[in-house]
Amino acid sequence: MRDNEKILIIDDEIDICQQLSGLLNDRGFSSKYFTSTEEGIDAFKQYSFCLVILDIWLNNSKFDGFQALEKIKELNETVPVIMISGHGNIETAVNSIKKGAYDFIEKPLDGDILIFKVTKALENYYLKNKINNIVKYKDHNYIAKSDSAKHVLSALKKITNTDSSVFLFGSHGSGKEFLARKIHFESNRKNRNFRVMDFSNSENFNLENQLFGNEEKNNQKAIGILDEVNGGTLLLKNIDKMSSKIQGKFLRILEDKKFYRIGGLASKKINLRFLGSSTLSINELRRKVLREDLLNKINFFEINIPNLNQRGEDLNDLVTEFIKETLLFYKMNIEIISFDIVPFFSNLSCITNAAQLKKFIEWSIFMFSQDNTKQITKESVVNLLKGFLKNYNNNENDNFLNFNLKDARETFEKKYLSYNLNKFNNNISKMSESIGMERTALYRKLKSLDIK
């Protein structure tokens, strides 16, 4: 049994919370309990839980169990929730499952049944996460016909099956996270966890708790990302945004191969492969933001990822691959892609990285899918964009690339995100996973574009 199972308990009876927590702790699980839905949901936002045990009927709480279940699923639909109730019947159990719960248990609780269902729920959770991680990597190949891309693959082959720390440098959308996943899933750690810690989120006030976990005076423990990923690979994304305090703690981890939970007295041994990524160059990192000793520890091997303008020979294959993926993912009934559409997308000078190119292709294709179009051509895409921008910008020039790029991009993003909000019935978790954008970043983008 893992030592990093984190279970959230929400029940208005403190005796039930303590009983459940003690039972789980005795079996090697880690748990945290609250007697109100408000406190429980706040904790769910702050910490990484693998399972929630939730009472249906809660006194002195803003939400009942079903409302709390809905909010938990909005925050993270992959975490299983086991509903409990002292007034249970078949109808209550069925209703719980319909609303998204993993299972239902009637009070008074049978300890053996509870542990059995908790174990099954966690097995299901870890299996889904493992499949999702593999799919995210397996669904894509790093296309490399250009010399610059071939150089990247050559470098990866040298370090993939080592435990060397690696720094990935490249502009936004160049593929740093994808290549980090490629390193992990082709290494001897591929059967262990891969996690991304993004330091660019300035609104993350609980960063240390998320990373290191904590131990409280009442012996409750909250496990952090370092525990979750122990034995696997951790990508330190946007490492240039890491605070000096966190830099010092990571340096100690790299040197001592152990860490302390916040408030904890006992150290935890750690066996991790660290990868770092940044849009800054190694010289900029050394000159501006990163401690020299930490930089030297992580930067055992560095890989510079080329932009699209350095991958001319790859463009047609990239476009073709993105078109195929989009048609398959959205199950679009488009039968013909004309011969001129691939070079058209490949020659868009306003697109600077692969992520932008993919999103632009997705947007173009799903716009046609709404009209049951059977063929997409260069002319049809140009006309679509001209018509779409007509009410936004009075420029009537035939070449849509002459539109102000910032304005055009903002308009595209509004349409793209509004479409997906509608498609996923305002479920931010599903939308976030579908478009490949973290929930916190997605919330900020929606707010900045004034999308309700």
Side-chain angles (χ1 to χ4, degrees), residues 111-127:
D112 290 335
I113 291 177
L114 175 73
I115 294 300
F116 173 78
K117 293 197 173 187
V118 163
T119 302
K120 288 299 179 184
L122 288 168
E123 286 176 356
N124 181 269
Y125 170 76
Y126 285 115
L127 179 60

Side-chain angles (χ1 to χ4, degrees), residues 218-276:
N218 59 1
N219 292 322
Q220 290 195 69
K221 297 179 182 178
I223 311 301
I225 288 175
L226 291 177
D227 266 308
E228 285 183 6
V229 77
N230 205 355
T233 305
L234 178 63
L235 171 62
L236 307 175
K237 186 175 180 179
N238 295 305
I239 195 172
D240 48 284
K241 301 294 194 302
M242 185 189 288
S243 69
S244 56
K245 182 180 180 181
I246 299 294
Q247 287 184 42
K249 291 197 172 189
F250 264 107
L251 179 62
R252 179 62 61 88
I253 290 170
L254 289 166
E255 290 175 341
D256 298 343
K257 308 297 182 187
K258 62 183 180 181
F259 74 97
Y260 292 85
R261 296 192 185 111
I262 306 300
L265 299 177
S267 62
K268 295 277 296 181
K269 290 184 178 180
I270 195 164
N271 173 21
L272 268 180
R273 184 178 194 178
F274 287 101
L275 308 177

